[in-house]
Amino acid sequence: MSRRGQAFLVHVLSIFAMAHGLLYTHKGSIDVTVVGKISQHPIKNVIVLYLTIQALTGSCACMMLSLTQDIFPSTRQYLHPLKRALSMVFLPMGFVVSSVYWSLLIFAPSLILIPIEISSTSSSPVHGLMRLPLLTDLAMHLAPFLSLLTDFALFEPKFSSRQMAIAPIMMIAYATVYAGALEYFAARNDFFPYPFLNASSLPIRLAIYVGTSCIGLGCLAFLNRLHSASR
């Protein structure tokens, strides 16, 4: 298979996998009762505040731009710079989402999963945590990072020194806007979308915002250093 054919296959499979996660977020209401202050607001109303959804949407957009270039090579000069700029943000964001989510899911699930009440045949409801089906979980919390990582490693050149100098500015700006939005809506709604933020004081939340931004920048710098300069 030609290199263009390989890229086409990777991009199609990536879009298919991530579309599964996106479609899940638009399904009908989930048959559970959310416990706590978040129960006063439908999950769909706050879903854009989840970094998972932003990484999923941004990564899917990158793959769609890549697929368009695979089908219509003449669009590369227009679409490729945009795709590269988006990848510079969503590749490290995907790593942050995957590393934080899976670590907490394994070691402290109550800090990442929403508490719920599940309908029961008994007189009292059963309390638990909102867990996703495995394939949906993988599509939302692993596919975005793996898709962009595979695309970057196999089909994209490494980022130039100039691009890597711009990357911290882009990521810090994004992180600042996102953290500000989280704090603003939390002040209005009296809750954060992630349980571990609800359990944290402002200084700890600020440390989380700064720390995850540094992890993302470190991931991008590390992957770029490992990348073959010959591509």
Side-chain angles (χ1 to χ4, degrees):
M1 184 182 295
S2 67
R3 181 180 176 82
R4 181 178 171 186
Q6 293 173 355
F8 177 85
L9 182 61
V10 168
H11 296 149
V12 167
L13 291 177
S14 297
I15 292 172
F16 179 80
M18 288 186 285
H20 174 77
L22 286 172
L23 289 173
Y24 185 86
T25 66
H26 293 283
K27 288 175 62 177
S29 59
I30 303 173
D31 188 24
V32 295
T33 300
V34 180
V35 177
K37 293 175 181 177
I38 195 173
S39 63
Q40 302 168 12
H41 306 268
I43 292 177
K44 289 184 179 180
N45 289 354
V46 298
I47 201 166
V48 294
L49 293 178
Y50 285 91
L51 199 63
T52 295
I53 302 303
Q54 296 180 27
L56 182 63
T57 304
S59 299
C60 194
C62 288
M63 293 298 98
M64 291 181 70
L65 288 171
S66 296
L67 183 61
T68 302
Q69 295 172 68
D70 296 336
I71 300 173
F72 306 105
S74 60
T75 63
R76 181 177 174 82
Q77 59 179 320
Y78 307 107
L79 299 183
H80 193 248
L82 175 59
K83 182 267 181 85
R84 291 280 283 179
L86 292 177
S87 297
M88 200 180 300
V89 173
F90 291 108
L91 175 59
M93 185 187 298
F95 174 77
V96 169
V97 168
S98 295
S99 57
V100 171
Y101 177 82
W102 292 107
S103 297
L104 290 180
L105 185 67
I106 294 171
F107 298 108
S110 62
L111 293 180
I112 195 67
L113 299 179
I114 299 173
I116 57 173
E117 288 180 357
I118 306 171
S119 298
S120 164
T121 55
S122 62
S123 57
S124 59
V126 177
H127 293 268
L129 298 172
M130 183 184 290
R131 295 182 181 273
L132 298 173
L134 179 59
L135 290 180
T136 302
D137 220 355
L138 294 173
M140 296 178 70
H141 298 107
L142 190 59
F145 175 62
L146 289 184
S147 297
L148 288 184
L149 178 62
T150 302
D151 179 66
F152 178 65
L154 299 181
F155 309 116
E156 288 288 327
K158 67 187 299 182
F159 292 110
S160 65
S161 299
R162 181 174 178 274
Q163 290 172 325
M164 289 301 295
I166 297 173
I169 300 174
M170 295 177 60
M171 292 189 63
I172 290 173
Y174 194 104
T176 301
V177 172
Y178 177 68
L182 280 180
E183 294 294 327
Y184 172 76
F185 285 105
R188 291 189 59 185
N189 300 329
D190 204 23
F191 76 92
F192 287 91
Y194 290 108
F196 67 86
L197 292 178
N198 284 314
S200 304
S201 62
L202 179 59
I204 294 177
R205 293 198 304 272
L206 291 176
I208 291 173
Y209 301 147
V210 173
T212 51
S213 298
C214 291
I215 290 173
L217 282 171
C219 168
L220 184 63
F222 178 73
L223 293 177
N224 201 57
R225 184 181 292 268
L226 290 181
H227 197 290
S228 171
S230 63
R231 279 200 175 87

